[in-house]
Amino acid sequence: MDRNTFTGLFLIMIILAGSVFFMKPSEEEIKKEQQLQDSIAQAKSPETKKTTDSLFAAQQGLEASTVDSTQMSGPFGGAKVGNEELISLENEFIKATISTKGGRVKSVEVKGEKDYLGKPLVLFGGDKNRFGLQFSTAGVNINTNDLYFRPQTKAPIIVKNTDSASLTMRLSYAENKYIDYIYSLKGNSHQLGFTIATKGMQDVVAPTETKLVLNWQADLPQKEKDMKDERNRSTAYFKEFDGDVNELSTTKDETKDLGKTDWVSFKQHYFSNVLIAKNGFSGGSLKVTTVNNDEIVKSFAANMSLDFNRQDVNTYPMSFYFGPNKFSILKDQGHDLEKQINMGWGPMKWINRFITLPVFNLLEGFNWNYGLIIFVLTVLLKLVLSPLTYKSYVSMAKMRVLKPEMDEIKAKVGEDNQTLLQQEYLKLYKQAGVNPMGGCIPMVLQMPFMIAFFFFFPNLFELRGESFLWMKDLSTYDSIINFPMIPVININHISLMCILMTCATLLSTWYNNMVSGATGQMKYIGYFMPLIFFFVLNSYPAGLNYYYFLSTCLTFVTQFFIRQSINDEKIHAMIQANKKRPESSKKSTFQKRMEDYMRQQQQAGKNKK
């Protein structure tokens, strides 16, 4: 080690030793550090933490109190803070729960009914549903849904039979200035009376406003087994003032502006929530939305206008209907509420309204099982239509007897000249006295009755929850096999009654083809159509498939007995006798049209050449 290195290390050691000696803490500094560490340890103890939290909560409470004081200084300030209380109004049919927050109907239970899970059926409920008046005052927008009302009573109200009772919820602005929501309920009624009364509000509502807006929003939960079907049958309805009942789309979201309106309805498949204005709404808008929620069928919103007069007292009498979409019950409410039920279109609507429904109600009076009622209804329909069925089958028998002669004509004329071939066929029909459309016309006349039931049974509330044989609920499908959804064919189950209906249809098709001697494409189309209907009807109510199964079986039996009663030899003899008669100059409408068509085809062929 050289001299310079030794000198450097010696100096460094002297500096370090001096630092230790001169930077040593005094006794006073050691005591201060000890006190600091003791304070930190005490702060981490549970008792100290509890005290700190209490101080923080007190500070937060002081801030909230400052906010509440600020709110209470504005319009309806005293109603902006409060505790929610619930009061129930109940009779034999419904139980409505009224909340002091917003003074609104918070939930409604339809008594005696269950949802698809077997739970009490609640039409709607919860804080997401809103109901209140909207207006402005002193430059502030007011929504009474967010304010606290004062009830006249806090005890539950129960009425029965001819009894009635009322509940007043008051929203005060100042002395002799308030808004009352008056609810009234009678025994044995699905209607909840509702009246809005304003007192001394003529100077409170902004001078520029001539209307109050009544906002009503509700998310309606799933009640039926098939969510997809329930969504497809749920939408908003409204009745134009002195006009007809209309609806929004069932398959897409829609918003509609309304003119003067009698009522608006948030309708699900089998239940409705209707708000009826005795003097009508002066206008508004209606909206229906499908939300991304597996438990909510659809979301509904209505903003309805109420004319506001600058006077001391204004009253707006209204009523709610909370209940089933049963035709007889809706009709008893008046206001054409029964028009919410889809009875079909055109002639099907009138068949269901004036024939099917009265007969069904008559059979229902015998207190039979609904499976038996459907059976009797189907038998009665077949008896009424039996003359048309017989005529159709006789006409088909005539065509079957003529088939050998028609084959001879085809062999003679050939298939290349279709116009000449049809002319020869017409001559044969005319000589034999046979109408080739005679078998089709009676079938066409029967079609409206069969299609009418396609609308009738899926919308029939009476079938809801009713069982028959293995079918636990005739208002929905009777699945025997369930599996994950198959996207291409869009099914996740197999309905037993739909299988039976399809098998019966295939058997009937086979029999008809055998009897009529159908060949070619017509033969295979007859087998293809029942398979298509299987996928269409697989998710439809078991009651509808049960009807189609019975109808097919009865048609098969009817055709079998008619076939046994018809003698082809007698028909052939009758046709031969008709051929020997002098030709009549009188022609049927069908013959005239066919001859005109043939002449046009011949002329078109000549022009082409």
Side-chain angles (χ1 to χ4, degrees):
M1 182 181 295
D2 61 10
R3 181 182 300 177
N4 292 333
T5 303
F6 178 78
T7 303
L9 291 174
F10 181 75
L11 291 174
I12 291 173
M13 290 177 64
I14 291 174
I15 292 172
L16 290 174
S19 299
V20 171
F21 178 79
F22 289 109
M23 295 183 68
K24 179 181 177 180
S26 65
E27 292 293 331
E28 185 179 355
E29 290 175 336
I30 292 173
K31 288 181 180 180
K32 287 184 178 179
E33 179 65 23
Q34 185 63 39
Q35 290 175 354
L36 177 61
Q37 294 299 325
D38 292 343
S39 298
I40 293 173
Q42 185 179 4
K44 292 182 178 180
S45 66
E47 291 78 8
T48 306
K49 187 177 186 300
K50 196 176 296 182
T51 304
T52 305
D53 291 343
S54 299
L55 291 172
F56 179 76
Q59 184 179 2
Q60 291 294 99
L62 180 61
E63 293 177 0
S65 176
T66 304
V67 173
D68 292 342
S69 299
T70 304
Q71 289 180 341
M72 293 179 67
S73 63
F76 294 98
K80 292 180 179 178
V81 180
N83 295 318
E84 184 181 29
E85 298 177 3
L86 303 177
I87 306 161
S88 62
L89 281 78
E90 180 178 355
N91 65 7
E92 295 90 339
F93 294 148
I94 62 173
K95 180 180 180 181
T97 301
I98 314 299
S99 172
T100 55
K101 185 177 181 181
R104 63 187 177 89
V105 180
K106 185 170 185 176
S107 67
V108 177
E109 176 187 341
V110 180
K111 300 173 71 173
E113 299 293 342
K114 303 290 183 181
D115 64 12
Y116 72 105
L117 295 174
K119 299 179 181 179
L121 193 141
V122 177
L123 295 179
F124 62 88
D127 294 326
K128 290 185 179 181
N129 303 289
R130 301 174 64 84
F131 185 88
L133 289 173
Q134 296 177 345
F135 57 90
S136 61
T137 176
V140 178
N141 294 325
I142 300 296
N143 188 335
T144 62
N145 182 82
D146 302 322
L147 304 177
Y148 288 88
F149 285 63
R150 180 167 47 85
Q152 69 177 18
T153 180
K154 297 181 180 180
I157 297 174
I158 301 176
V159 296
K160 295 181 179 180
N161 301 323
T162 58
D163 296 341
S164 62
S166 63
L167 169 66
T168 300
M169 308 288 286
R170 178 163 293 182
L171 177 65
S172 296
Y173 178 82
E175 186 177 0
N176 293 324
K177 296 178 184 293
Y178 53 81
I179 298 173
D180 278 350
Y181 285 178
I182 305 169
Y183 296 94
S184 59
L185 185 63
K186 298 179 180 179
N188 293 316
S189 175
H190 284 94
Q191 285 200 29
L192 177 67
F194 175 65
T195 300
I196 299 176
T198 65
K199 167 68 176 174
M201 298 296 292
Q202 67 274 19
D203 298 327
V204 177
V205 177
T208 57
E209 294 193 1
T210 61
K211 299 180 185 297
L212 303 177
V213 176
L214 183 59
N215 172 255
W216 183 25
Q217 301 178 39
D219 291 346
L220 302 186
Q222 180 181 0
K223 299 173 179 63
E224 313 305 329
K225 181 178 178 180
D226 190 343
M227 170 65 93
K228 180 181 177 182
D229 183 64
E230 188 173 8
R231 279 179 172 164
N232 289 337
R233 299 181 188 278
S234 301
T235 189
Y237 280 74
F238 65 95
K239 184 179 186 295
E240 299 172 347
F241 189 76
D242 294 332
D244 203 0
V245 175
N246 294 297
E247 64 185 286
L248 272 61
S249 174
T250 57
T251 58
K252 63 181 181 180
D253 297 347
E254 185 178 3
T255 302
K256 187 173 183 63
D257 294 327
L258 308 179
K260 192 168 184 180
T261 307
D262 280 346
W263 52 261
V264 293
S265 172
F266 299 166
K267 174 189 175 291
Q268 284 184 260
H269 189 178
Y270 288 118
F271 297 91
S272 284
N273 310 271
V274 188
L275 178 59
I276 306 166
K278 300 290 177 63
N279 300 321
F281 299 106
S282 57
S285 64
L286 197 56
K287 182 179 181 180
V288 60
T289 309
T290 302
V291 296
N292 187 21
N293 188 323
D294 293 337
E295 297 180 354
I296 301 299
V297 176
K298 285 184 179 179
S299 179
F300 297 80
N303 289 295
M304 308 309 297
S305 299
L306 299 170
D307 292 330
F308 183 72
N309 298 317
R310 296 290 165 175
Q311 57 191 29
D312 187 44
V313 176
N314 286 286
T315 58
Y316 306 95
M318 290 176 267
S319 63
F320 289 100
Y321 169 81
F322 298 121
N325 294 328
K326 185 176 181 179
F327 191 91
S328 58
I329 294 177
L330 289 176
K331 187 172 178 60
D332 290 341
Q333 312 306 313
H335 307 284
D336 294 330
L337 294 187
E338 73 277 4
K339 290 186 178 180
Q340 294 183 98
I341 300 177
N342 184 10
M343 288 285 186
W345 45 268
M348 281 72 74
K349 179 179 180 179
W350 304 115
I351 289 171
N352 283 331
R353 175 68 179 82
F354 297 107
I355 299 177
T356 310
L357 186 61
V359 174
F360 184 89
N361 291 336
L362 177 64
L363 297 174
E364 190 180 23
F366 293 104
N367 295 319
W368 293 339
N369 181 279
Y370 283 95
L372 180 59
I373 291 176
I374 295 175
F375 174 77
V376 175
L377 184 65
T378 309
V379 171
L380 291 176
L381 177 64
K382 288 300 178 182
L383 289 175
V384 171
L385 298 178
S386 58
L388 292 176
T389 304
Y390 180 80
K391 186 175 181 180
S392 174
Y393 204 85
V394 169
S395 181
M396 291 170 59
K398 290 180 179 179
M399 294 297 296
R400 184 174 64 253
V401 171
L402 279 180
K403 190 175 185 306
E405 297 185 39
M406 295 173 66
D407 291 340
E408 292 179 3
I409 293 175
K410 180 186 288 189
K412 181 178 179 181
V413 175
E415 298 184 12
D416 296 335
N417 194 340
Q418 287 293 321
T419 302
L420 180 60
L421 181 63
Q422 293 300 324
Q423 284 181 336
E424 294 298 323
Y425 281 166
L426 284 176
K427 290 180 181 179
L428 177 63
Y429 297 150
K430 186 177 179 181
Q431 292 174 354
V434 174
N435 183 356
M437 299 299 293
C440 299
I441 294 176
M443 294 297 295
V444 170
L445 294 176
Q446 296 180 60
M447 288 301 296
F449 288 89
M450 296 193 66
I451 299 176
F453 283 89
F454 183 79
F455 295 96
F456 183 73
F457 286 113
N459 294 291
L460 189 63
F461 176 82
E462 286 84 342
L463 297 184
R464 187 178 186 273
E466 296 294 335
S467 62
F468 181 67
L469 299 177
W470 67 88
M471 297 171 283
K472 296 180 180 180
D473 188 347
L474 289 169
S475 69
T476 188
Y477 56 83
D478 56 320
S479 59
I480 55 170
I481 301 176
N482 296 284
F483 43 82
M485 180 67 71
I486 301 177
V488 179
I489 55 180
N490 198 29
I491 64 172
N492 61 356
H493 66 274
I494 299 295
S495 170
L496 177 57
M497 184 50 72
C498 191
I499 290 178
L500 295 177
M501 181 273 296
T502 303
C503 292
T505 307
L506 290 172
L507 178 62
S508 178
T509 302
W510 169 79
Y511 180 76
N512 287 331
N513 287 341
M514 183 183 67
V515 172
S516 62
T519 57
Q521 293 182 351
M522 292 302 297
K523 178 179 179 179
Y524 297 104
I525 289 176
Y527 292 115
F528 188 62
M529 292 303 294
L531 298 177
I532 294 178
F533 279 111
F534 168 77
F535 292 103
V536 172
L537 297 174
N538 184 56
S539 294
Y540 271 74
L544 177 65
N545 283 317
Y546 174 53
Y547 159 72
Y548 283 138
F549 169 74
L550 291 175
S551 179
T552 303
C553 291
L554 290 174
T555 300
F556 178 80
V557 172
T558 302
Q559 289 178 344
F560 177 80
F561 282 105
I562 292 177
R563 177 73 178 87
Q564 297 300 317
S565 64
I566 293 178
N567 190 318
D568 288 357
E569 295 182 357
K570 290 183 178 180
I571 292 177
H572 183 266
M574 180 183 65
I575 289 175
Q576 298 304 319
N578 290 336
K579 287 182 179 181
K580 296 178 181 178
R581 293 177 183 174
E583 291 188 10
S584 173
S585 59
K586 187 176 180 180
K587 301 178 181 178
S588 66
T589 304
F590 171 79
Q591 289 175 332
K592 291 179 181 179
R593 289 181 178 179
M594 288 300 296
E595 289 179 0
D596 291 340
Y597 173 77
M598 293 303 170
R599 281 195 293 268
Q600 291 174 4
Q601 292 297 314
Q602 285 182 335
Q603 186 63 40
K606 291 179 179 179
N607 294 336
K608 187 176 182 180
K609 290 179 181 180

